[in-house]
Amino acid sequence: MAQIGYGYGSEFQLLRFLGHHRNDLEEAIRKAIGDSHESFYWFDFDFADREKVISGDSEMCGLSFLKKEIPKISGVCDKVKKYPWNFDRWQYWDAVFKLNDVIYFVEAKAHKDEIKSGNKKHGGTHSKEILEFMKGQFSCATEEWLKDYYQFANRLSTVSLLNNNGISCKLVNIYFVDGYYDREHSINKDTSEESFRAEIVQELKALGIDEKEKDKYVIDVFIDANP
């Protein structure tokens, strides 16, 4: 698990809202996805060896952790075994919840620069296979999908794969407005809603995806971290 900044950053804000402002968080999500009177079911993280992971928790990664809840996930995992990387370890989710029998994968951002995340970890010899996987989900996928907005392209392709195999799911991007100020180091990032939205426009342009196509798979939620 990535190091959590005390008092700032996307992981801190998400944990803060899950722990201290759950009603506000869920209400913001409900508003973004449409009214629902069903209860949220948040998946728990597994515990980890504190000698290896300072938080004592392991990250939610891949899809295997959903097998008990959604047996059909096993079939989807089998379909992607032809790829050389370990599909159960290649992506990490900030949180996962279920609502109205739909699985929602959460990605939190605390400043606009976090929207960009290059393909460093999964580059090199695997790039060709990863792009092949992405093209299998979106015909518009190009090598640009392996560059600045790789993380989003990766998750978008996975959500598409699941939906195409009968598993209803969406990606929830939570943007914490005014959510990043590192007082210890006097670092204040650009976290305005306007800057987030402008970067999202650039992201979609770079990937060649229009808003209508994106809305099939993605929910954007903007939350004021310090109202």
Side-chain angles (χ1 to χ4, degrees):
M1 181 171 287
Q3 185 68 28
I4 298 175
Y6 178 66
Y8 65 93
S10 55
E11 282 195 81
F12 173 85
Q13 296 297 353
L14 184 57
L15 283 173
R16 175 183 166 224
F17 271 78
L18 281 170
H20 297 165
H21 307 285
R22 179 74 63 90
N23 290 334
D24 289 336
L25 174 65
E26 292 184 352
E27 184 59 31
I29 295 173
R30 286 186 195 277
K31 184 177 179 180
I33 67 177
D35 274 342
S36 170
H37 299 293
E38 297 295 321
S39 298
F40 282 70
Y41 176 78
W42 294 89
F43 290 82
D44 282 344
F45 285 70
D46 286 333
F47 292 101
D49 184 350
R50 292 195 65 180
E51 294 298 320
K52 298 178 180 179
V53 182
I54 192 171
S55 69
D57 296 324
S58 61
E59 292 181 287
M60 290 181 180
C61 53
L63 298 172
S64 287
F65 71 94
L66 291 171
K67 286 181 179 179
K68 289 182 180 179
E69 186 72 27
I70 311 172
K72 287 191 293 185
I73 285 282
S74 296
V76 179
C77 290
D78 288 341
K79 285 188 177 184
V80 294
K81 280 184 177 178
K82 66 178 181 178
Y83 297 107
W85 68 90
N86 185 337
F87 193 79
D88 286 339
R89 301 292 301 177
W90 80 314
Q91 20 180 242
Y92 297 85
W93 312 106
D94 290 338
V96 181
F97 67 88
K98 183 171 71 172
L99 183 65
N100 294 333
D101 294 322
V102 178
I103 299 295
Y104 293 90
F105 297 96
V106 176
E107 180 66 34
K109 304 296 182 187
H111 61 86
K112 76 177 187 66
D113 293 338
E114 287 188 326
I115 295 176
K116 285 187 176 181
S117 56
N119 179 20
K120 296 178 180 178
K121 185 175 181 180
H122 301 288
T125 58
H126 291 337
S127 291
K128 181 179 178 180
E129 287 80 8
I130 293 172
L131 184 56
E132 178 189 346
F133 165 68
M134 292 175 170
K135 285 182 175 179
Q137 311 311 313
F138 293 93
S139 59
C140 62
T142 67
E143 290 189 359
E144 194 66 34
W145 284 47
L146 301 176
K147 298 179 182 178
D148 289 344
Y149 302 105
Y150 167 74
Q151 185 190 72
F152 175 69
N154 171 318
R155 282 149 176 71
L156 184 65
S157 297
T158 299
V159 169
S160 174
L161 172 75
L162 293 175
N163 278 284
N164 289 337
N165 283 274
I167 299 171
S168 297
C169 65
K170 284 200 170 185
L171 175 65
V172 178
N173 288 324
I174 299 179
Y175 302 97
F176 287 104
V177 176
D178 194 21
Y180 194 108
Y181 177 57
D182 180 355
R183 291 173 176 80
E184 182 180 356
H185 301 99
S186 298
I187 299 174
N188 193 12
K189 300 281 189 177
D190 185 352
T191 65
S192 68
E193 182 171 338
E194 293 76 12
S195 66
F196 278 132
R197 289 189 181 277
E199 191 62 40
I200 293 170
V201 169
Q202 292 302 312
E203 178 179 64
L204 296 180
K205 182 178 179 181
L207 299 180
I209 299 174
D210 61 31
E211 284 280 353
K212 186 176 181 180
E213 182 71 8
K214 171 206 159 197
D215 290 345
K216 292 179 184 178
Y217 305 103
V218 183
I219 303 292
D220 288 332
V221 181
F222 297 89
I223 297 178
D224 189 345
N226 293 287

